Amino acid sequence: MARRLDRCRRVRHRHATVMATPRVIVLGGGLSGMAAAYALAQAGWDRVTIVERGPELGGLAGTFETDGHFYPLAYHHILQRDRGLLFFLDRIGALPDVRWRKISMLFQLKGRLFDLADPVDFLRFPMSLADKLRFVRLMLRCFGKSDWADWNERSAAELVDTWGGPEVRRAIFDPLMRLKFNRPCEEVSGAWLGARLHFREGSAPLGYIPGGNWTKVLCDGVTRLLDDASVQVKLGTSARHLGIQDDRVTRVDLDDGESLEADLVISTVPTEVYQQLLTAARPDLDHVRYTAVVSAILATKQRVTPTFYWMNLASLDCTASGMFMLNALNPTIGAPGDTCLNIMTHVPTRHDTFFHQSDDQILAGYRADFHRVFGFELKPFWTQVNRLGMYAPVFHRGYENPPLRDAVLTNVYCAGNYRTFPSIASTGTALASGVDAGAAILADHGGTSDLPAAIDGYRLASMPRG
């Protein structure tokens, strides 16, 4: 009888061990953190906690409200090849609402505007006919190439010079790399540029959701998925210290004084933030650098012509890097009759002097840019200036993705767009990176996830125009 009771106790203990899932702390509640938590929760893991310093989940995909309307922190659009995003829009039931529009992308150069997708403008663009044909050859080759691993160690300059020619680089791509990274093409990854051109961001139709701001629809929808799966979320706080024992994180101390016991940790915060939590230097993460963005969202009753969605200020003589007419893609954003603009500047780092200028100084520069381009004074009736300190990783020549599993701490996993090279850094790649981290944890603990394969194989069934 005693042996039978002891056997029953051992069986119950073994069953309880199998059923008890690890305590997982997700650092950061942006899209990568949300997706990682969802991947684990979908597999039945019921002790997952997201720690997010902001007032809501979403990170860079967050929104703000003005006069009952929601607006993005900076421009966002849905790409037809962004499988991670399309999968999650489908999962939350929002994909049938997406509408697709062909947009106009303009280049402002030497006081003139050019739409390179328009045959007449393309012929007017200050570049020789032979170089224009080389530019077309470059674009067609990039459209047709999906695997860019063979360009990992080569520069954007080499890519453009090889397939397009030096004059194409000097006329188009050198200014674009200066606007995006404040770097010459020689310092930017050829694999990244090729992958970005492959996505056809400027020539293929872009998506939006009528009646609102699609990033809010996405973040609210994924938040509901997490709520339904009983994922715990701690908002308005962040990690200030990691308790480490024997190369494992056992505790996460928050800046509000709470401590969370941890069996596993997923870091989805920028690498600079993660390194500040560590007790020793991490040379394997030092190569990751981030650009910052100053983004002014504003509304005016003025009519702005020509109509465009995206304008690159390629003359390099403006305060701003680009302008976006948000209502040209989504006619329902804001109130009827509003022209909603996003004027923004990529800056090298959040330590840049411009990043710390006052709102009035920044807006004065943007109004001067607007007047230079359109010839009249911009008169917005509301503005909001957003400063995004670690906006996007710089995919420089020779960039390597940091490992998914931390190189030192054995129970820490990493996710975020700094791990998505050479793909274009997007909402979808952030989501897919989080899913990959969750799937890796499940695999390391004897489980599986069908989400990575589902995302990789996802295809649009239709693209309704609107």
Side-chain angles (χ1 to χ4, degrees), residues 14 34 77 83 116 127 154 205 304 340 379 453 461:
R14 188 164 59 246
M34 297 170 78
H77 40 255
R83 297 173 185 172
L116 298 187
M127 194 165 63
R154 303 163 77 181
V304 179
C340 185
K379 298 179 179 179

Side-chain angles (χ1 to χ4, degrees), residues 273-330:
V273 176
Y274 177 55
Q275 288 191 84
Q276 292 171 4
L277 299 173
L278 303 177
T279 56
R282 292 295 297 277
D284 58 310
L285 299 176
D286 285 344
H287 71 287
V288 182
R289 293 288 183 268
Y290 294 85
T291 62
V293 159
V294 176
S295 170
I297 310 291
L298 57 93
T300 177
K301 296 297 183 182
Q302 296 165 288
R303 186 183 178 204
V304 179
T305 57
T307 299
F308 67 97
Y309 171 62
W310 188 334
M311 181 186 297
N312 294 289
L313 300 176
S315 289
L316 304 180
D317 57 358
C318 293
T319 299
S321 303
M323 299 185 189
F324 294 81
M325 188 183 296
L326 301 182
N327 55 288
L329 174 61
N330 180 0

Side-chain angles (χ1 to χ4, degrees), residues 121-161:
D121 268 14
F122 186 57
L123 290 174
R124 289 174 50 239
F125 190 76
M127 194 165 63
S128 73
L129 180 59
D131 284 322
K132 288 171 183 172
L133 294 175
R134 294 185 185 104
F135 171 74
V136 172
R137 179 181 63 184
L138 164 69
M139 300 302 287
L140 290 176
R141 292 193 68 171
C142 291
F143 290 167
K145 182 177 173 63
S146 58
D147 184 357
W148 290 90
D150 56 330
W151 281 88
N152 282 356
E153 299 297 326
R154 303 163 77 181
S155 72
E158 186 176 354
L159 173 65
V160 178
D161 288 357

Side-chain angles (χ1 to χ4, degrees), residues 134-267:
R134 294 185 185 104
F135 171 74
V136 172
R137 179 181 63 184
L138 164 69
M139 300 302 287
L140 290 176
R141 292 193 68 171
C142 291
F143 290 167
K145 182 177 173 63
S146 58
D147 184 357
W148 290 90
D150 56 330
W151 281 88
N152 282 356
E153 299 297 326
R154 303 163 77 181
S155 72
E158 186 176 354
L159 173 65
V160 178
D161 288 357
T162 301
W163 292 355
E167 288 305 315
V168 173
R169 170 174 52 80
R170 283 190 280 269
I172 297 176
F173 291 96
D174 275 342
L176 290 179
M177 295 306 101
R178 289 290 182 186
L179 291 175
K180 176 72 174 175
F181 297 122
N182 198 33
R183 292 173 178 239
C185 279
E186 288 82 2
E187 296 180 13
V188 177
S189 166
W192 173 82
L193 178 59
R196 179 148 195 166
L197 295 177
H198 174 72
F199 263 74
R200 301 179 61 187
E201 192 173 13
S203 58
L206 301 179
Y208 72 99
I209 295 179
N213 175 39
W214 71 264
T215 57
K216 178 170 176 55
V217 174
L218 173 68
C219 293
D220 288 352
V222 179
T223 298
R224 286 193 298 272
L225 294 179
L226 298 176
D227 289 342
D228 293 343
S230 299
V231 172
Q232 295 186 52
V233 177
K234 295 186 178 295
L235 298 174
T237 188
S238 58
R240 63 172 178 81
H241 177 261
L242 300 180
I244 300 174
Q245 294 181 359
D246 300 325
D247 295 331
R248 292 178 61 84
V249 175
T250 60
R251 190 185 72 256
V252 177
D253 297 328
L254 307 184
D255 57 15
D256 63 3
E258 186 177 5
S259 293
L260 304 176
E261 299 299 317
D263 299 309
L264 297 166
V265 172
I266 305 175
S267 175

